[in-house]
Amino acid sequence: MGNSIFHCVTTYNYQIVSLILFFVGLLGVTLSRNLIKILISLEFIMNAVNLLFISFASYKSEQAYLGYTLVIFSTGMSALVLSVGIYFAYILHKKFGTIDVIKIYDKYKETGKC
Amino acid sequence: MAEISLLIFIFLPVIAGITILTPLFSDNQIYIRRFSVYFAILHLLFSLMFFIFGSNIDMQNTDCISCVFAPDFKAALPFVNNNVLNQIGIHISFGIDRLSGLMMILTALITTLTVIASKLYVKKHFKYFYSLVFFLETILLGIFTTTDMFVFFALWELELIPMYLLISIWGNHNSKKSALKFVLYTFGGSLFLLLGILLIYFTNFAVSGVLTADITHISMNRVNLLLQLVISVFLIVGFGVKVPIFPLHKWLADTHTNAATPVSMLLAALLLKLGIYGIIRFNFGLLTLGFTVLAPILGLLAIVNVIYGAALAYYQKDIKRLVAYSSISQMGLVLLGVSSLTNIGYSGAVYHIISHALTAAGLFFIVGIIKLRFRTGNINRLSGVASIAPRLYGFSMVIILAAAGIPFLSGFIGEFLSIYGAVVSSLVSFKLYAVIGVFILILSALYLMKLVHEVFFGLLPERFKNVQDIAVHEFIVLGALSFIIILLGCFPFVIIDFLNV
Amino acid sequence: MFSFNNIIHYLSEILIALTIFLQIICSLFNLKKISNYLTAAGLGLSLYFLIAAQVWPSELYSFLFKIMILISSLLILFLNTRRVFIKYTIHFNILYLFSILFLLMIADSTNYLSLYLNIELFSLAVYFLFSMDKRDVTIAESYKYLVLTVTASAFMLAGAAFLYGLTGSFYFQRISDYIKTSSNYSFSTYVIPFFFIITGLGFKLGVFPLGNWLIDIYKNVDTKIAAFISVAPKLAIFSALVKILGSIITFESSFIIILFALFTGIYGVIYGIRSNNLKEIMAASSYINISYLLIALGLYTKLSLATMLFYWAVYVLMNIGAFAGIISLEHSNQYSQNADFRGYFYKNPLFGLCFGICIIGLLGFPLTSGFIAKIYLISGILNSGVIILPVILIMIALMIVSVCIYLNVIKKMFEEIPYKEMNVIKTKSTNAFVLYICTFMTLFLGILPAWLIKMCEYISIYI
């Protein structure tokens, strides 16, 4: 820990980075029109949260195991959920021939509900 | 025995209503009407018998001031107590004092007349109509007799369901919209009423330590003025929708115009009385201190009501709307009498409640007859009704003159006593209101005379030559109303003495 | 903490897991009929063991929530669905039981980790429940729900991370202890984590900022699943919220929750007033009722919690009853999602009456349990002081407008329709059974509510 560069990087900086990541992901989810890009943005959000946990865990040396446990679980869980998301995106692509959200919306408005 | 008979009296109409709904009756008007009319008349007789025999006991042992100033149930018949919700302080209990006794008879009478009158105005779903009328009667009797605030509130809201259905199903094509308006206004008001009732409940608990919702056990005398005022305002908003007090009256004219004639009769004669009954029971009886402070404002609102109602009534083209606005004006007088805080004013208000119930029912029925026979309600297109329907004309004159406040008819006594109450009131502002009120007597004569002049007098147009005069059932209704109006006008002390013994 | 000594407390969950296992065996041999009975039996047995198990008084409320989850899912199981689902009965049952299992775990969770995991696992089952009929719309809905769920979970986890950074724990109890013992406590440091957590958990309740999904899900997904989504997850989340709020409840946190609640209610009212579709009206009703419940929860006094519990019990039954009415209407209309409910009453007076009672109950009219719940709720809220009066006035405004929404339904129900359009509503007997039970309970609790009120007050003492 004697390194001069890493010495000035505190948990505070990690939090800032993770919050930036979080909101970048949130913007991606809300603004992106591509089904896959939305999923990537979700991954951004989850990683931001993970980073937050890791930074706090390094700060709380006694209860660090809690943060690391959660990170492992959440990584696994987000992988699981994302795979399901990709499956849905794939089916949507197969059905509509596009992965553009607005085009899909227009199409199923055209074809009539149900 | 007395308590069981009260319970039977209140719940008998429900049984009748359920009987009509059962497969015993097919959807055949004749049998259902026959059953309903006989039942209603028997119920009316029951109410009279109950009244004559039941109230002898307490006539002697109540002093007049407590009865007039603090309408209490204790002085009346023993309660019917049924501890269903005992642990949260809610009892389903009923009891009567003089005021609610009068209202009970009025309810039974008006329901009977309505059932007789609805022969030609109800053309579909006879089963549902008559059973709903009977359900409504029970609910109204419950409101007038219950001693528990929460039961009062429950019935107050419950009354909306039959009323909504009665207005919307049997009205004209616009009736669903106005029924919605009616429910919306009343429901909104009733939530304020709930707030007021809950505040009474909690403050009473805080002051006395007893968790009770029984009006007879609650005393708000020790509660400070500010809280009393807040509660009073909430309650007045709640009751004011039904009265209706000036800014909350919007629903009334539309609802009356679009509802069927018998429903209008019920609405004007009974439903409007609920509000004033609530004000007497809660604001006048429980929150006396707050009411004393609010009385000048209420008196002002009452005067506004009277003038506003009369002015609008005068400019209406539709005769049913005219009558509807007239009842806003008349209820203003009742409110003036109550808020004058005098013995005489109170008697006058109660007297005018009864008088207005009779005249409003009569007026709406007359308007209904005219609208049915002549197929128009436009005041400009109608004329000369008197020449083709002399019997209708005769009865109409009695009822219209009574509404206008001509001596020897019931309306005069009520108006006179209400204004006299304002004159003798200790509050200075009421003297002013009384002066205005005297002129109002002329106003109410004005629009009613317009009605008589435009509709009944004049030349009969050619297209109305084949119109029939009133039939037997209409004769019975109008005759009974006129008879009672003349009786009350000639012997007013029957009721005034009864109220003030 | 888990230990095998008190396995009896987890018996209901274990039974459901066992039923899932048996279902999988059933699916091997394609035993459709047995599968349905097995599901009902499994849920019933787990309900029995839940009631039979002894619980700590402080756990009684989550116990009540779990009972409500199981009862509502049992009732919803009897509702019938479109034909496609009958083909996949066993798959449906497996996913259904899977989601219920994790709902029960959400209701029981004691820390943010298990809360997060259970929410995600529950949602995993729900994605496939939504899109089981493989229509274009439902797959799109599933995708949308997935994206929103992950976002909401991330919000919750971010809040949990901040709390972890502040207090060093995930456990609600330990966070509460830390806050109580720390000397320089100020809520301002907890505002952001609290805000994040409420946003995240509010998603499942349909609370304003992320609650938009509710309407689309109600409209597009099969009605049986919509009925399930409308009740069960919200119950579980509320159970978790009671714990979470218990750990960091202050005046400010109450204020935040009430703010969320009022926004939700206003959004629901604005949405519902111009909608003409039964599903949209149900969604609006969900928003409005959740807002009342959140206000009662946010105040966190003994009486307001008791009223919240009572309101939930009542709302669950009325809501399922209304959904049963809608499903029976759709069933006789070839499952058109926008079923025409004009003249419902004349098409089948008994169903119309029952459905009407449920709607009137949601409205809060007397003789139904909704009336008692309304009075009780307002009294519970009012009891926490005159300072709350403005909130109550807004609530009253919401109630007045919501009357407009519900009466629209009643108005349409009594609308006269031409004779040739008059097809009598017929449905499966199980569906009618659910409708009758819900109506009966609505009326029963409207007339004799005292026992349940007493129970709720007893439970709320120990929260």
Side-chain angles (χ1 to χ4, degrees), chain A residues 26 35 39 42 45-46 49 53 56-57 60 63-64 66-67 70 73 77 80-81 85 88 91 95-96 114, chain C residues 113 116-117 120-121 124 127 131 134-136 139 142-143 146-147 150-151 154 157 161 164-166 168 170 337:
Chain A
L26 211 59
L35 290 181
L39 293 179
L42 281 185
I45 295 178
M46 285 318 293
V49 171
F53 269 107
F56 280 128
K60 298 257 166 194
Q63 295 102 352
L66 276 174
L70 195 140
F73 269 111
M77 192 46 89
L80 182 59
V81 171
F88 283 132
I91 293 183
K95 289 217 172 195
F96 293 99
C114 320
Chain C
L113 175 55
Y116 164 71
L117 283 180
E120 286 292 311
L121 285 167
L124 201 62
Y127 307 142
S131 56
K134 291 183 182 158
R135 288 178 302 147
D136 304 349
I139 289 168
S142 282
Y143 182 82
L146 182 140
V147 170
V150 175
T151 317
L157 274 187
Y164 170 64
L166 286 167
F170 290 156
Q337 291 282 349

Side-chain angles (χ1 to χ4, degrees), chain C residues 277-297:
Chain C
N277 180 325
L278 263 179
K279 299 284 185 57
E280 289 178 8
I281 287 168
M282 288 313 291
S285 123
S286 155
Y287 285 129
I288 296 162
N289 283 300
I290 285 292
S291 89
Y292 303 156
L293 286 162
L294 271 182
I295 290 170
L297 176 71

Side-chain angles (χ1 to χ4, degrees), chain B residues 153 156-157 159-160 179-196 233-242 248 251, chain C residues 363-365 374 378 392-404 407:
Chain B
F153 175 70
W156 181 277
E157 287 222 319
E159 151 266 312
L160 285 177
L180 187 69
K181 212 173 182 179
F182 166 76
V183 171
L184 224 59
Y185 266 86
T186 315
F187 190 82
S190 79
L191 286 171
F192 285 97
L193 177 62
L194 173 63
L195 216 55
V233 169
F234 281 143
L235 288 177
I236 284 172
V237 171
F239 295 130
V241 171
K242 271 272 154 63
L248 305 167
W251 57 273
Chain C
L363 233 167
F365 267 23
K374 186 181 75 180
I378 290 183
I392 291 185
L393 289 179
I394 297 173
M395 248 178 88
I396 283 177
L398 290 182
M399 280 180 177
I400 293 168
V401 186
S402 70
V403 171
C404 225
L407 276 187

